[in-house]
Amino acid sequence: MAMATHHQPKRCRFSPAAPPPPLASLADELIFLVLDHVAAADPRALKSFALASRACHAAESRHRRILRPLRANYLPAALARYPSASSLDLSLCPRVTDATLTAVSGSAAPSLRAVDLSRSRGFGAAGLAALAAACPDLADLDLSNGVDLGDTSAAEVARMRRLQRLSLLRCKAVTDMGLGCVAVGCPDLRELSLKWCLAITDLGVQLLALKCKKLRTLDLSYTMITKECFASIMKLPDLQVLALVGCVEIDDDALGSLEKVCNKSLQALDISNCQNATDEGVSSVVKSIPNLLELNLSYCCPVTPSMVSSFRSIAKLRTLKLEGCKFMADGLKGIGMSCVSVKELSLSKCSGVTDTELSFVVSRLKSLLKLDITCCRDITDVSLAAITSSCTSLISLKMESCSRVTSGGLQLIGKRCSHLEELDLTDNDLDDEGLKALARCSKLSSLKIGICLRISDEGLSHIGKYCPELRDIDLYRSGGISDDGVTQIAQGCPMLESINMSYCTGITDHSLMSLSRCAKLNTLEIRGCPRVSSSGISEIAGGCRLLSKLDIKKCFEINDMGMLYLSQFSHSLRQHMWLAEHDHCTFSGYYA
Amino acid sequence: MSSCSSPWSTMDGNQNDICGQSANLTSNPLYYQFGLDNPLFGMGIQQPFPPSTSPFGASSSTNIPHMDWKPAMMLDNLTFIEEKIRQVKDVIRSMVDNGGQLPGRTGDIVQQQQAVNADLTCLIVQLISTAGSLLPSLKNSSFLSHPPAGHMDMANHVGSSSSMVPYTTISEENNEVMCSPEDYDELFKGLTDGTVEGGIEIDNVLVEEQDTKDGDEGGDAGMDGENLLPGSYELLQLEKDEILAPHTHFCSICGKGFKRDANLRMHMRGHGDEYKSPAALAKPPRDASTEHAMVKRYSCPFVGCKRNKLHKNFQPLKTILCMKNHYKRSHCEKSYTCSQCHTKKFSVLADLKTHEKHCGHVKWLCSCGTSFSRKDKLFAHVALFQGHTPALPSEESKVSDQVGRVGSHQEPAKLTSSMGSFMWDNSSGDDTVLDIKGLDSCGDDFLSTANFGSFNFSFGPLDEIKGNPSEGSFAMLPSEHFQSVREKGEN
């Protein structure tokens, strides 16, 4: 973007007497439609378009809605160039000062609706005041991680009267006073996150519940709220999503205090990690929220038959997450009896999941779409047979580290669940036969087969041939694969966005060369692949312009040459993990 | 000794009579005072002290020789009283005459009425102190120990008619000690204002009283923590003057008044060696007999008040102190004004002192300018009113606060210079309402430091600061200073 602004005047000088471009006769709406289409196919195309001519540049300027500057000091220029930008994402600017924000208001951006300051620090109340004055229509403000922001900042936020979405995540210095200002000042708030706001108490939340009646999403995770304000939160008429993760003060007493409150709007409740809540509290709270669709009880309480039977009152329940829970006798069976409408069930890391109970549950939950049985180490092929035979419409199955399931059982997945889109078989006894069976899942988009030591290029070639939708593949430490398999994947899966080949020691530059044809690739992890060199990286840098995450730690053959290519082409690169092991390289050129 | 003159009337027996009379008396203060005066005069002259009361208890075994209570002084006092009465009579007579001639000059009449009232009050005080001088002298009189039985019976219903010792004698039939010393003690403790010397016990009672006041007034009698049936307790009602009397204990020799009997005993030591004996100085022992006595409850003399026995939802007051404070709070002028805010007024000194402890400590502000000492009260206020929002105390006010405090005693120059920058820094960003409010509160604080001495009875302002350096605001300075620096950094 910044580059574009710099290059523009030069280009104009080349064609001073050119005939008026046909673009001028096109309506903006049509151009925008075209640009949208082009951008969807290749985000970099817009830049090329803008560089084509002055008219194109102007059209592109009018078209852009989202600004994501790399440096905060480009901000005024960017705002001047894109007057119709509605969203300003400063997440790439770690330091945004009050002066920067004042400059934003100086360049007058009344069209701005959303500002993201979640990863920026260095600004305070004065900057927010300038922002509030400059953007009267601001509806979305993300101040996450603003550990320096205090009540004065919150009071400035309260002046943005049309704010609908606000995140104060980890704003630990904001107290009830600041929250009270926001509650009174922003009556239209729909979505608010107060996660980790440790200084707020019941008083502030009660006032919030009283003043912001339009709240739909409220995140109070890891706050110190107690029973006092729980009832007033539950009385919010439009509340749909409530997160109370890790609220230690929310105990059975609080959950049970909703005797007469009945919230018909609440659809999702997350009380995971609430250490003091037990099955009794959960049983009593679900009676007050009859329309619940999503319930997360991860790491919360043991699953008892009585608690599960109380789920009958939330007949519409679609998602039930029970990660890390301990199942009491017949607890799991009760889920099969009470929660027949569940479409998404997570039992990852649960203890007490046995073949008989799991088989019973899946036989009752015919409409299950997503199942997570990660680290259920007791289950065997029996469970897998039951899952694959009764839940044939599964689109997501995660079963990392189910070590007692054999390759024969894993073959059943491919044979019976052909609708699968997401499959996690990390650390399983998968072999090429299993991969061959998985080739039937033509919609597969995410496949994680890390630490599957028995797979080889032959199996991968099946995936490459028959799974064209694949976007994400994880081959972490699957040592049996080499360049041939990766090439098959790269050729057969043009949509590939992410590939992890860490510690696949057979990988060489050839793999990267073939992967460079996947234009959408944004994540490449080749940590600990010693045979990859700078030439491979240069291929990637040239072909995968969208690359934003690259892990080349312990790739000792990569040196400055590769970095130069990366610095030249990969402007999207955000995260790179290499430094510790790369003492012999100097990356001075990268930031040039 | 008619029930009319009795300041202590019981519910038993001639209840209707008393009620009717008290209603009459209180509704017409002028008449009431005259009505009250006449029997008192008669009593004061002919029989200065009723035989039914004994302040220190007849059981006292001390052999203090019969004290001469100086009839000459007594006579002087009485002559003075007579003289005074004559003056008042003259004034009133002239009022009667003038009232016929110049009905339009109401201002003068009001003034005269006030003058008469003042005179009458003076009279009553004089009478009380005169009669009070009799108290110690009576303790050795033999007839006190054996009061006439008939009188005792009457005392059961009517109580003592003594106006200067407003305290009931509820005697058991065979009890020779008519009034238990314990009862007496408690009573007098209750009667003392209790605010200047403010004992712990009295404070507690005060708090209790305030709590009940805060509580639901519409509740039943159970709100006092008990549910006594009417008739299961003895109901007493003091008259206005007894409630408002500043002193309840009087020296028999010099006539000086005291609020507490212990103070009187201490005072008596100056009058002779006979008062220095351990027995004379000892607190009169508690008498077991009173513990079996009926529970006492009190009625407010103000007709129409919920605490008045004529009210249909009558709720009795638990102690005499409760009654005194209730009467002052509800039916008296609020004469104590807070010297810091100049707005809050109180009729009970203790209330003023409680308020002054917190006045100026405004921590929780609303955008409307209202300030609260408690956060939950602020949030309740904000919740109640549309558009009101919690207002942050601007740093400027904090800073000037410090400047004000520091400036009032030591080394202002260094700190003010360093804080000037905060003020400058702040004034750019902050808002008008807040700033004005902040300056106001700053002014209050300044005043509070300067005026503090006027309410501290033992220390002048300088003493206060030097005496308690750790408690003063000065000690808080470094941390506040640090905080403001930090907050400045935040901005």
Side-chain angles (χ1 to χ4, degrees):
Chain A
M1 190 186 333
M3 252 174 109
T5 51
H6 288 305
H7 283 274
Q8 177 54 25
K10 275 188 219 160
R11 296 286 171 118
C12 285
R13 259 179 255 137
F14 287 120
S15 53
L23 208 64
S25 56
L26 271 174
D28 267 0
E29 287 77 14
L30 290 175
I31 299 177
F32 291 172
L33 275 178
V34 171
L35 289 180
D36 284 340
H37 218 73
V38 168
D42 178 10
R44 297 190 62 254
L46 285 184
K47 191 170 169 184
S48 314
F49 174 77
L51 295 175
S53 77
R54 182 174 287 185
C56 293
H57 182 267
E60 203 267 337
S61 297
R62 291 194 303 273
H63 171 254
R64 185 175 276 272
R65 295 285 179 269
I66 301 173
L67 297 186
R68 190 180 291 124
L70 276 170
R71 308 268 175 89
N73 47 353
Y74 297 153
L75 196 55
L79 282 169
R81 178 178 162 182
Y82 299 106
S84 54
S86 64
S87 170
L88 175 61
D89 183 352
L90 291 166
S91 55
L92 299 183
C93 308
R95 180 153 185 87
V96 176
T97 59
D98 283 344
T100 315
L101 290 176
T102 314
V104 171
S105 61
S107 50
S111 63
L112 273 186
R113 297 280 188 282
V115 173
D116 185 348
L117 289 161
S118 60
R119 287 162 184 261
S120 313
R121 289 180 75 169
F123 61 94
L128 288 171
L131 198 63
C135 314
D137 290 337
L138 201 66
D140 183 344
L141 181 63
D142 194 337
L143 295 175
S144 302
N145 304 308
V147 284
D148 306 326
L149 302 178
D151 285 341
T152 44
S153 305
E156 297 301 338
V157 171
R159 295 213 213 158
M160 308 170 184
R161 298 200 57 84
R162 303 199 182 153
L163 217 54
Q164 296 196 354
R165 188 184 164 277
L166 174 65
S167 173
L168 293 173
L169 188 145
R170 229 185 298 274
C171 292
K172 295 181 183 179
V174 172
T175 70
D176 285 343
M177 294 297 279
L179 181 59
C181 292
V182 170
V184 176
C186 313
D188 286 342
L189 269 185
R190 304 280 200 282
E191 197 174 324
L192 176 64
S193 172
L194 296 170
K195 196 171 180 176
W196 284 113
C197 289
L198 294 170
I200 66 158
T201 68
D202 292 333
L203 279 177
V205 179
Q206 271 170 334
L207 188 66
L208 179 78
L210 192 78
K211 297 285 182 184
C212 300
K213 292 286 187 195
K214 295 177 183 170
L215 269 179
R216 285 187 195 149
T217 303
L218 183 58
D219 190 344
L220 292 167
S221 304
Y222 302 102
T223 54
M224 292 298 160
I225 60 158
T226 70
K227 176 187 175 185
E228 298 292 317
C229 68
F230 190 54
S232 51
I233 296 168
M234 294 302 271
K235 281 177 191 157
L236 279 170
D238 292 332
L239 192 66
Q240 291 176 355
V241 180
L242 177 62
L244 296 170
V245 181
C247 292
V248 285
E249 304 280 342
I250 295 295
D251 51 9
D252 283 352
D253 201 21
L255 293 174
S257 65
L258 298 175
E259 291 287 315
K260 287 166 191 161
V261 184
C262 181
N263 191 321
K264 293 198 168 142
S265 63
L266 195 65
Q267 294 177 353
L269 177 65
D270 188 345
I271 47 175
S272 51
N273 284 301
C274 286
Q275 300 155 1
N276 294 324
T278 72
D279 49 329
E280 287 175 27
V282 175
S283 309
S284 56
V285 77
V286 293
K287 285 175 191 149
S288 309
I289 32 180
N291 293 331
L292 203 65
L293 298 180
E294 194 176 330
L295 180 61
N296 191 342
L297 297 173
S298 305
Y299 302 99
C300 177
C301 58
V303 182
T304 60
S306 63
M307 178 180 102
V308 173
S309 65
S310 73
F311 291 170
R312 285 175 200 273
S313 62
I314 37 175
K316 296 178 188 167
L317 194 68
R318 279 209 304 243
T319 303
L320 180 59
K321 293 190 178 171
L322 297 167
E323 286 177 30
C325 289
K326 183 174 169 56
F327 280 94
M328 298 302 170
D330 291 338
L332 190 51
K333 271 187 183 170
I335 291 174
M337 307 292 285
S338 312
C339 314
V340 281
S341 63
V342 163
K343 298 220 175 353
E344 185 178 348
L345 179 64
S346 173
L347 303 173
S348 83
K349 297 164 203 143
C350 288
S351 63
V353 178
T354 60
D355 270 341
T356 48
E357 297 206 12
L358 188 58
S359 305
F360 178 79
V361 167
V362 293
S363 68
R364 303 278 304 197
L365 308 178
K366 300 270 185 200
S367 56
L368 208 60
L369 294 178
K370 296 186 176 182
L371 179 64
D372 187 347
I373 47 172
T374 302
C375 294
C376 290
R377 295 177 197 278
D378 294 338
I379 63 169
T380 65
D381 289 352
V382 178
S383 291
L384 219 59
I387 291 167
T388 51
S389 60
S390 48
C391 308
T392 48
S393 53
L394 269 185
I395 58 168
S396 168
L397 177 63
K398 295 184 181 176
M399 45 177 296
E400 179 181 341
S401 296
C402 291
S403 40
R404 291 178 66 186
V405 179
T406 65
S407 55
L410 294 172
Q411 286 174 25
L412 294 173
I413 299 170
K415 284 175 184 163
R416 292 178 182 168
C417 304
S418 54
H419 298 289
L420 274 178
E421 292 172 16
E422 186 181 13
L423 181 61
D424 186 349
L425 295 173
T426 306
D427 192 16
N428 272 311
D429 189 27
L430 186 69
D431 58 7
D432 285 344
E433 285 301 307
L435 280 180
K436 190 177 176 185
L438 282 177
R440 293 165 175 238
C441 308
S442 57
K443 290 184 193 163
L444 205 61
S445 83
S446 169
L447 178 64
K448 293 183 192 289
I449 44 177
I451 326 184
C452 292
L453 305 177
R454 293 171 61 189
I455 60 170
S456 68
D457 291 343
E458 190 199 338
L460 275 189
S461 68
H462 291 291
I463 299 294
K465 274 178 199 159
Y466 300 107
C467 302
E469 306 269 311
L470 201 67
R471 289 163 197 270
D472 177 11
I473 187 164
D474 185 348
L475 300 166
Y476 176 84
R477 278 192 200 271
S478 292
I481 61 159
S482 66
D483 287 343
D484 289 345
V486 177
T487 307
Q488 292 282 346
I489 294 287
Q491 284 174 348
C493 312
M495 311 285 277
L496 201 67
E497 291 173 5
S498 163
I499 185 166
N500 186 347
M501 300 183 293
S502 298
Y503 302 105
C504 294
T505 46
I507 298 299
T508 68
D509 285 343
H510 290 291
S511 293
L512 299 191
M513 232 171 278
S514 52
L515 281 173
S516 65
R517 279 175 230 149
C518 301
K520 295 202 165 185
L521 197 73
N522 58 40
T523 305
L524 175 64
E525 296 181 51
I526 45 173
R527 177 185 299 201
C529 295
R531 296 166 68 185
V532 173
S533 71
S534 289
S535 63
I537 287 296
S538 64
E539 291 287 335
I540 290 289
C544 310
R545 295 293 194 87
L546 296 176
L547 198 69
S548 63
K549 187 178 170 187
L550 175 67
D551 185 350
I552 47 174
K553 194 172 174 179
K554 294 186 183 174
C555 297
F556 299 110
E557 292 297 313
I558 297 175
N559 55 27
D560 279 359
M561 280 306 291
M563 290 304 108
L564 279 176
Y565 279 103
L566 281 176
S567 66
Q568 195 169 350
F569 295 109
S570 302
H571 296 294
S572 317
L573 202 61
R574 281 197 228 177
Q575 195 176 347
H576 20 71
M577 317 169 194
W578 57 57
L579 295 175
E581 317 294 329
H582 264 271
D583 292 336
H584 62 287
C585 289
T586 55
F587 295 122
S588 51
Y590 179 66
Y591 285 112
Chain B
M1 210 170 299
S2 72
S3 64
C4 166
S5 69
S6 160
W8 292 84
S9 27
T10 60
M11 284 290 274
D12 320 345
N14 47 1
Q15 181 183 5
N16 289 335
D17 185 25
I18 294 166
C19 294
Q21 292 208 10
S22 62
N24 259 341
L25 296 179
T26 40
S27 60
N28 184 352
L30 209 61
Y31 164 75
Y32 154 71
Q33 293 201 340
F34 277 108
L36 192 66
D37 276 351
N38 290 333
L40 273 177
F41 291 153
M43 186 182 73
I45 293 162
Q46 290 154 16
Q47 193 197 7
F49 194 79
S52 59
T53 39
S54 156
F56 291 113
S59 59
S60 164
S61 59
T62 52
N63 289 324
I64 299 169
H66 193 279
M67 199 194 77
D68 49 346
W69 47 270
K70 299 198 179 159
M73 207 175 82
M74 200 71 178
L75 201 64
D76 282 353
N77 283 344
L78 292 175
T79 343
F80 171 77
I81 290 170
E82 268 178 352
E83 189 63 33
K84 196 85 186 173
I85 287 173
R86 199 173 300 124
Q87 283 174 7
V88 177
K89 267 184 183 172
D90 286 344
V91 172
I92 290 172
R93 199 170 291 127
S94 73
M95 275 172 77
V96 171
D97 296 342
N98 283 343
Q101 290 163 7
L102 299 162
R105 297 175 60 188
T106 47
D108 279 4
I109 293 171
V110 170
Q111 218 169 7
Q112 277 174 329
Q113 277 177 349
Q114 283 172 351
V116 168
N117 276 346
D119 280 347
L120 290 174
T121 316
C122 170
L123 269 175
I124 292 163
V125 169
Q126 191 64 33
L127 256 178
I128 288 173
S129 73
T130 310
S133 63
L134 284 172
L135 279 174
S137 62
L138 277 172
K139 67 188 164 200
N140 287 325
S141 56
S142 56
F143 68 89
L144 244 187
S145 312
H146 306 282
H151 183 84
M152 276 177 58
D153 285 342
M154 199 175 82
N156 248 345
H157 301 294
V158 181
S160 155
S161 63
S162 159
S163 62
M164 89 246 159
V165 188
Y167 125 74
T168 334
T169 60
I170 311 103
S171 55
E172 316 269 37
E173 293 297 327
N174 53 356
N175 189 8
E176 29 168 45
V177 187
M178 306 239 4
C179 52
S180 79
E182 168 56 31
D183 221 344
Y184 176 89
D185 199 49
E186 249 179 32
L187 213 77
F188 272 68
K189 211 195 290 171
L191 274 174
T192 50
D193 203 330
T195 49
V196 174
E197 287 139 327
I200 292 164
E201 194 178 342
I202 287 170
D203 278 351
N204 281 344
V205 176
L206 271 177
V207 168
E208 192 183 39
E209 165 69 6
Q210 256 171 336
D211 282 349
T212 54
K213 223 171 66 173
D214 286 345
D216 180 20
E217 285 272 355
D220 55 3
M223 75 180 219
D224 285 333
E226 56 170 11
N227 208 345
L228 286 177
L229 290 171
S232 67
Y233 52 87
E234 187 176 10
L235 190 66
L236 307 169
Q237 178 170 305
L238 269 77
E239 289 307 336
K240 182 186 167 192
D241 299 271
E242 282 117 17
I243 292 172
L244 299 180
H247 296 147
T248 43
H249 304 262
F250 296 93
C251 174
S252 57
I253 297 163
C254 62
K256 190 175 178 192
F258 296 92
K259 296 189 177 185
R260 301 188 152 185
D261 62 336
N263 293 349
L264 175 63
R265 285 200 295 277
M266 293 300 112
H267 165 83
M268 292 308 284
R269 291 178 304 174
H271 286 305
D273 282 343
E274 66 267 35
Y275 296 109
K276 290 180 182 166
S277 69
L281 288 171
K283 186 181 176 182
R286 177 183 287 264
D287 193 0
S289 65
T290 52
E291 283 167 14
H292 307 296
M294 231 171 161
V295 185
K296 288 195 204 74
R297 287 294 176 266
Y298 300 87
S299 157
C300 171
F302 191 90
V303 176
C305 172
K306 191 170 193 169
R307 304 299 198 160
N308 183 274
K309 57 196 173 189
L310 296 180
H311 196 277
K312 69 176 183 340
N313 292 330
F314 170 58
Q315 289 172 1
L317 291 152
K318 256 185 168 175
T319 68
I320 197 153
L321 187 69
C322 287
M323 188 191 46
K324 282 185 68 126
N325 282 330
H326 158 79
Y327 189 82
K328 283 183 184 169
R329 284 189 183 119
S330 310
H331 311 302
C332 289
E333 199 189 336
K334 296 186 172 178
S335 48
Y336 300 108
T337 309
C338 174
S339 65
Q340 295 176 38
C341 61
H342 298 291
T343 47
K344 283 270 190 183
K345 292 184 173 183
F346 303 91
S347 48
V348 175
L349 189 59
D351 292 356
L352 172 70
K353 293 184 86 179
T354 310
H355 162 78
E356 281 186 336
K357 269 183 206 162
H358 303 289
C359 185
H361 292 246
V362 175
K363 282 181 75 183
W364 310 106
L365 293 174
C366 177
S367 56
C368 69
T370 320
S371 56
F372 300 86
S373 57
R374 284 169 57 181
K375 186 173 156 192
D376 55 336
K377 299 292 175 195
L378 166 65
F379 276 76
H381 168 88
V382 170
L384 192 62
F385 295 101
Q386 206 69 38
H388 289 206
T389 170
L392 306 171
S394 62
E395 283 173 45
E396 192 172 331
S397 81
K398 273 187 212 162
V399 169
S400 22
D401 199 14
Q402 289 166 354
V403 173
R405 286 180 183 182
V406 172
S408 67
H409 34 121
Q410 293 162 24
E411 49 171 3
K414 194 177 99 194
L415 284 159
T416 40
S417 64
S418 71
M419 273 174 232
S421 60
F422 302 146
M423 293 174 76
W424 173 79
D425 191 57
N426 256 303
S427 51
S428 58
D430 274 325
D431 228 359
T432 50
V433 187
L434 290 183
D435 284 356
I436 291 162
K437 184 64 201 168
L439 283 171
D440 277 349
S441 73
C442 145
D444 284 351
D445 256 90
F446 189 86
L447 279 178
S448 81
T449 326
N451 290 352
F452 196 77
S454 60
F455 288 93
N456 192 317
F457 294 106
S458 48
F459 297 91
L462 284 172
D463 287 342
E464 172 64 20
I465 288 159
K466 283 175 190 163
N468 299 325
S470 59
E471 284 176 8
S473 51
F474 187 51
M476 292 298 292
L477 188 76
S479 66
E480 278 180 11
H481 182 230
F482 171 68
Q483 198 178 3
S484 58
V485 169
R486 228 183 42 189
E487 284 178 16
K488 180 198 160 203
E490 175 193 315
N491 296 332

